[in-house]
Amino acid sequence: MKVPMSWFEDYTDMSGITPKEYAHALTMSGSMVEGIENLGEEIQNVVTGKILEITPHQDSDHLVICQVDVGEGVIQIVTGAPNVKVGQIVPVAKHQSKLPGGVVIKKGKLRGVESNGMLCSHDELGITEAELGYTPEYGILVLPEDTEIGMDIRDYFGLNEDVVEFEITSNRPDCFSVIGLARETAVTFHRPFAVKKPTFTENNEKITDSLSVEVQNPDKCLRYTARMVKNVKIGPSPKWLSTRLKAAGVRSINNIVDITNYIMLEYGQPMHAFDLRDLDGQKIVVRDAKDGEKIQTLDEQEHILSAQDLVIADASRAVAIAGVMGGFNSEVKPDTTTIVFESATFDGASVRLTAQRAGLRTEASSRYEKGLDVNNTVPAIERACQLVEELGCGEIVGGVIDIKGNTKPQTVHQFRPEKINAFLGTDIPTETMISYLKELEFEVDEQKMTVIAPTFRPDIESEADIAEEIARIYGYDKIPTTLLSGTATTGKFSKKQMRENLAKSILTAQGLSELCTYTFTSPTIYDKLCFSADCPLRKNIVITNPLGEDTSVMRATTLASMMQILSHNYNHRAESAKLFEIGKIYIPTEPGKLPDESLMVTLGMYGGVDFYDIKGVLEELFAAMRIDGIRYVASGDHPSFHPGRTAKIMMNGQEIGIVGEVHPTVCKNFEVETACYMAEISFEALIDGTEASYTQLPRFPAVTRDIAMLVDKTVPVADLEETMVKAAGKLLENIKLFDVYEGAQIPEGKKSVAYAISFRASDRSLTGEEVNEVFDKILKKLEKECGAQLR
């Protein structure tokens, strides 16, 4: 909202306050100042002057030499303006003057004749025809004959004005008015504040003899006030009014419309004027609209209303959309003689919904929807009548129609200064608090220690709001900084968050890029993953209000999300991709209960990789996170993976995930024509890693023995290693696989597996007999449990 600072002087003392001081103080007290602009800042040293004499230029057929009185003497100016005449009063840019756009005017010579300035047009002053209110003739701007000579042109056009732009929050509808902001100004600077009661003269007639008002919906129309003006004279507004409106960003239209706009700015109360002759039956009815009812608004657009909308109607039709815009069928026209001023309070929520349905957002609706003061309608309409009388544009008909709807009683709040001080961490005296509240027009009962907020402050709902009012007027910058009392907590990551961050770092360090996909998906995605019809993962959590079929269930596996991203990359010609995601899946539990939300680590890659690449990434992940007891067991029962190139990931005998090549059919379903590899692991299994332990460097040498054995092809290498660990006992230090061979000299169905086994004791050097004894145990155990034969 824009307000010229001079307007505040109507209500409070503004002396000695600079724009910079004002902006800082009001912002600190809660009224955010976006900026302050001087309207005539670009215009300097331009005054009004009177042309006394015009003579032709000897060396030009279009230039003339003017003698111009500028108030402090006569200066000579050469001009080519075609409309100059003796006796005209015009804007004169003197030597060293400035015009909009950075133009500087200096004295000089034109065709050998001295010129001490320039006569200006409205364009050169940056003034539009709309701001003038008329279309000037071509050439210099001619001012009225009664204009004072030597007057600063900024003062003439009201440009020598500092305009403040406020950012008003929606919870402060009182500040959408000059009076409300003037009140805040007065309280901030602790200066007197007063709004004069409007005074005017009524005639001997009664408004009720010519007009009746009926409110059929008192819940949506909280108050309706009407006054009548006869013998109306429609015409331009006086200069002071149009100038003030212009400074506030409102275009002057005519005196009656300008009065309603002026009241909306000054009091924050939207008003409307009806032409009485257009009100059928000389009656106003505030009612609900009929379904399908049509109205043409002032912008000449037709709108179809519904029964949820509130309208202002006459005896037969709607003449305005309540709180939004007036009707074209009852607007004030140049020949209007009698008008009805409307000043009402409508329910804010109702106005907002109507404005949205109609696609109309007006200055009136933006104020109504924030909740206006029901006690503001009468003062506002009386001020309008005062302006009508001052402007001499009508005769006020006696009496007022004022109908009140259903309003809530004012809330009484406790006032406990000691609690407010404890809440704010201050030591403000009770008397000071009371003075602040009274300046803000709160009712304070010092006996009962209660407070009642004024009706223009609907944002005051609790004792904490009262404390905030005191704090902002006292000054936020004066509130001392104190340390927290009591037991303080330290903000830090939880163990789960730290492990998750560690996992992301490890995977990123191995060249994988992180994904973040949606947790809702389509139920048809399981068909692409080749899941059977009775697969338990098809039992999903169904979203009640999905965005669409493709996002109607919560995912029970992350494999589909990973395949979708791999497919996207592949079909956008990415030669390779290495991706990971740590995201949730949702598994249904009992009916009516929340699902189990499990965090999963998902890996996906294609392009120049194989099974051992993705398995190597997992091994590095497990090692860095100190996860022990990991085994890989061949698996062929997962429908989304290749049956001969897939392994279950086991930890201490429990399955925690799966890794392998994606089934070719699944790749085809996702439109990927290359081998893809994926892994899905439960992150819960990775939260608890083993603690790092450190041992002394060995003092005694190790003994290493090699062993090569024949076993069936079907025997996993992991089983061989597990058997050797069990048999070797505490002396075993390390087992290292260094050869697996199939082919010549190896029987059909067999394979040769060779290990290097290291033994070491921490307290002595091992003897050959000790090592042989352990080695024999290993051989016997391998033969018995794995069918191994020593080569």
Side-chain angles (χ1 to χ4, degrees):
M1 181 173 176
K2 294 182 177 181
V3 182
M5 287 186 68
S6 62
W7 203 338
F8 293 137
E9 294 175 358
D10 293 353
Y11 316 101
T12 189
D13 179 17
M14 296 292 291
S15 60
I17 303 175
T18 66
K20 185 176 180 179
E21 291 171 343
Y22 182 84
H24 175 74
L26 265 290
T27 298
M28 290 301 294
S29 67
S31 301
M32 178 65 182
V33 175
E34 288 286 285
I36 298 181
E37 174 191 10
N38 187 284
L39 297 179
E41 186 176 8
E42 291 187 304
I43 301 176
Q44 294 182 20
N45 205 23
V46 180
V47 300
T48 57
K50 185 174 183 178
I51 300 176
L52 302 178
E53 181 184 344
I54 300 176
T55 57
H57 194 293
Q58 295 181 353
D59 294 331
S60 174
D61 56 358
H62 71 279
L63 296 177
V64 294
I65 305 169
C66 300
Q67 305 300 322
V68 185
D69 182 2
V70 293
E72 56 184 13
V74 178
I75 61 174
Q76 178 173 289
I77 294 178
V78 178
T79 181
N83 63 328
V84 292
K85 296 178 183 178
V86 173
Q88 289 176 333
I89 297 179
V90 297
V92 181
K94 299 190 294 182
H95 174 58
Q96 294 292 0
S97 60
K98 293 183 179 180
L99 297 176
V103 178
V104 178
I105 304 299
K106 297 181 180 180
K107 64 181 180 180
K109 289 185 178 181
L110 290 177
R111 298 283 181 93
V113 178
E114 184 177 344
S115 181
N116 296 298
M118 183 179 76
L119 306 183
C120 302
S121 67
H122 69 285
D123 286 333
E124 289 163 334
L125 294 173
I127 299 171
T128 64
E129 292 183 10
E131 291 170 335
L132 285 174
Y134 63 92
T135 302
E137 60 181 311
Y138 177 73
I140 59 171
L141 177 63
V142 180
L143 304 175
E145 296 178 357
D146 59 350
T147 302
E148 178 185 348
I149 297 174
M151 181 181 185
D152 191 322
I153 202 69
R154 295 178 298 181
D155 293 331
Y156 178 84
F157 283 110
L159 298 176
N160 201 9
E161 178 73 84
D162 290 313
V163 176
V164 188
E165 184 173 0
F166 294 91
E167 179 186 350
I168 311 297
T169 54
S170 59
N171 67 319
R172 290 298 303 274
D174 59 305
C175 288
F176 279 89
S177 67
V178 178
I179 290 176
L181 290 169
R183 183 186 296 109
E184 289 293 309
T185 299
V187 175
T188 300
F189 290 96
H190 302 292
R191 299 189 179 188
F193 170 78
V195 180
K196 296 179 181 179
K197 181 176 174 58
T199 58
F200 53 91
T201 303
E202 301 177 345
N203 65 17
N204 296 325
E205 300 177 29
K206 293 183 179 180
I207 186 175
T208 51
D209 294 338
S210 304
L211 181 72
S212 64
V213 176
E214 177 187 358
V215 176
Q216 295 183 358
N217 192 333
D219 292 324
K220 290 185 178 180
C221 181
L222 308 180
R223 191 166 189 174
Y224 195 93
T225 306
R227 272 193 173 273
M228 187 178 293
V229 180
K230 62 183 297 186
N231 299 326
V232 172
K233 299 174 184 177
I234 305 295
S237 295
K239 188 171 182 298
W240 71 266
L241 179 58
S242 59
T243 299
R244 186 164 274 187
L245 288 176
K246 173 191 170 185
V250 178
R251 181 172 61 91
S252 176
I253 299 175
N254 61 51
N255 48 11
I256 298 299
V257 175
D258 288 355
I259 286 173
T260 61
N261 286 334
Y262 189 89
I263 298 303
M264 182 175 67
L265 293 173
E266 186 177 40
Y267 279 75
Q269 174 62 51
M271 288 185 60
H272 186 65
F274 296 102
D275 191 330
L276 180 63
R277 64 186 174 179
D278 292 328
L279 297 178
D280 187 18
Q282 294 187 314
K283 183 177 183 179
I284 287 178
V285 182
V286 185
R287 61 170 173 81
D288 292 328
K290 302 170 185 176
D291 271 326
E293 186 172 5
K294 296 180 180 179
I295 183 174
Q296 187 179 20
T297 48
L298 289 173
D299 58 359
E300 300 186 35
Q301 299 296 315
E302 187 174 79
H303 300 276
I304 300 176
L305 306 175
S306 71
Q308 286 76 42
D309 301 323
L310 190 71
V311 296
I312 313 300
D314 56 19
S316 60
R317 58 183 178 164
V319 294
I321 303 176
V324 181
M325 187 178 285
F328 184 74
N329 53 18
S330 61
E331 70 170 344
V332 174
K333 294 169 278 294
D335 60 344
T336 297
T337 58
T338 304
I339 62 171
V340 176
F341 275 134
E342 168 194 277
S343 179
T345 304
F346 302 109
D347 176 66
S350 173
V351 171
R352 179 173 177 80
L353 292 173
T354 295
Q356 286 179 331
R357 280 191 289 267
L360 285 172
R361 183 170 176 82
T362 62
E363 287 289 335
S365 68
S366 67
R367 283 171 166 80
Y368 275 122
E369 67 187 25
K370 293 170 178 63
L372 297 185
D373 181 11
V374 294
N375 294 325
N376 200 29
T377 60
V378 173
I381 207 168
E382 289 179 346
R383 174 64 167 150
C385 292
Q386 181 185 36
L387 289 174
V388 167
E389 187 173 79
E390 289 180 1
L391 271 57
C393 57
E395 179 184 345
I396 313 302
V397 175
V400 60
I401 297 176
D402 187 23
I403 301 175
K404 296 182 180 180
N406 298 331
T407 58
K408 297 179 181 179
Q410 291 177 267
T411 304
V412 179
H413 303 280
Q414 282 187 297
F415 176 50
R416 296 178 288 181
E418 67 285 349
K419 184 173 182 180
I420 291 174
N421 273 325
F423 180 65
L424 298 177
T426 56
D427 190 20
I428 306 172
T430 301
E431 296 76 15
T432 304
M433 292 186 185
I434 293 173
S435 68
Y436 290 163
L437 294 173
K438 287 184 176 179
E439 285 183 78
L440 290 166
E441 301 186 26
F442 285 64
E443 294 180 26
V444 182
D445 189 328
E446 298 182 41
Q447 300 298 322
K448 299 180 180 179
M449 296 302 282
T450 58
V451 171
I452 299 177
T455 53
F456 57 77
R457 291 297 304 274
D459 59 307
I460 304 300
E461 298 178 344
S462 66
E463 193 174 3
D465 294 324
I466 296 171
E468 181 183 6
E469 293 300 296
I470 293 170
R472 70 185 184 87
I473 303 304
Y474 174 72
Y476 292 123
D477 54 334
K478 296 180 183 178
I479 297 176
T481 302
T482 57
L483 293 174
L484 291 173
S485 59
T487 304
T489 58
T490 304
K492 62 180 182 180
F493 287 116
S494 66
K495 180 180 179 181
K496 184 175 182 179
Q497 290 172 325
M498 290 191 288
R499 297 290 284 181
E500 184 176 345
N501 291 338
L502 175 59
K504 289 179 180 180
S505 299
I506 296 166
L507 293 172
T508 303
Q510 295 186 79
L512 279 70
S513 300
E514 185 179 3
L515 301 179
C516 183
T517 60
Y518 291 120
T519 56
F520 36 77
T521 186
S522 170
T524 61
I525 202 70
Y526 301 110
D527 294 332
K528 286 188 175 183
L529 291 174
C530 298
F531 283 8
S532 62
D534 59 349
C535 179
L537 292 180
R538 286 183 178 267
K539 297 178 181 179
N540 295 133
I541 301 297
V542 179
I543 300 173
T544 304
N545 55 340
L547 298 174
E549 176 66 21
D550 289 343
T551 55
S552 60
V553 298
M554 304 302 292
R555 68 186 181 188
T557 177
T558 55
L559 294 176
S561 301
M562 179 59 71
M563 277 305 302
Q564 287 174 330
I565 303 302
L566 291 176
S567 173
H568 177 85
N569 280 268
Y570 178 81
N571 287 288
H572 282 74
R573 300 185 179 181
E575 294 182 359
S576 62
K578 293 182 179 181
L579 311 171
F580 79 91
E581 179 182 18
I582 300 180
K584 287 184 177 180
I585 60 171
Y586 300 81
I587 306 299
T589 54
E590 298 178 23
K593 291 189 176 182
L594 293 175
D596 285 335
E597 300 182 22
S598 300
L599 205 57
M600 307 297 290
V601 181
T602 312
L603 277 59
M605 54 181 67
Y606 72 81
V609 294
D610 58 19
F611 175 85
Y612 296 103
D613 289 300
I614 192 168
K615 181 173 177 285
V617 171
L618 291 178
E619 289 176 343
E620 179 63 26
L621 174 66
F622 296 144
M625 297 187 73
R626 299 186 182 279
I627 305 298
D628 296 331
I630 297 296
R631 285 192 60 200
Y632 299 89
V633 180
S635 173
D637 57 357
H638 197 295
S640 300
F641 287 89
H642 194 296
R645 302 171 188 175
T646 303
K648 293 179 181 179
I649 304 172
M650 311 295 291
M651 186 175 77
N652 300 323
Q654 298 293 322
E655 183 178 346
I656 64 168
I658 191 167
V659 59
E661 182 180 335
V662 178
H663 198 288
T665 303
V666 174
C667 288
K668 183 179 179 181
N669 291 341
F670 283 92
E671 299 179 357
V672 179
E673 298 178 358
T674 190
C676 294
Y677 298 86
M678 287 198 301
E680 186 181 46
I681 310 104
S682 170
F683 184 76
E684 308 299 328
L686 308 183
I687 293 177
D688 295 319
T690 58
E691 292 293 331
S693 60
Y694 301 91
T695 58
Q696 185 178 357
L697 289 174
R699 297 170 56 193
F700 301 97
V703 178
T704 302
R705 297 284 179 89
D706 293 343
I707 182 174
M709 67 195 87
L710 291 176
V711 295
D712 292 339
K713 285 185 178 181
T714 57
V715 176
V717 170
D719 287 353
L720 297 173
E721 293 179 358
E722 184 178 355
T723 302
M724 286 188 285
V725 169
K726 290 179 181 179
K730 295 181 179 180
L731 295 181
L732 179 67
E733 182 181 59
N734 185 37
I735 298 176
K736 184 177 180 181
L737 176 69
F738 65 83
D739 182 56
V740 177
Y741 174 71
E742 297 178 33
Q745 301 179 355
I746 301 298
E748 186 70 23
K750 299 286 185 176
K751 62 183 176 182
S752 172
V753 183
Y755 285 96
I757 307 174
S758 297
F759 303 92
R760 191 194 302 265
S762 61
D763 58 348
R764 67 188 187 280
S765 295
L766 293 176
T767 64
E769 292 77 9
E770 288 178 299
V771 174
N772 290 337
E773 183 180 349
V774 175
F775 199 71
D776 289 340
K777 288 181 181 180
I778 292 174
L779 293 176
K780 291 178 181 179
K781 197 80 170 179
L782 288 170
E783 183 179 1
K784 180 179 179 181
E785 296 188 4
C786 302
Q789 298 176 6
L790 189 63
R791 286 189 65 188

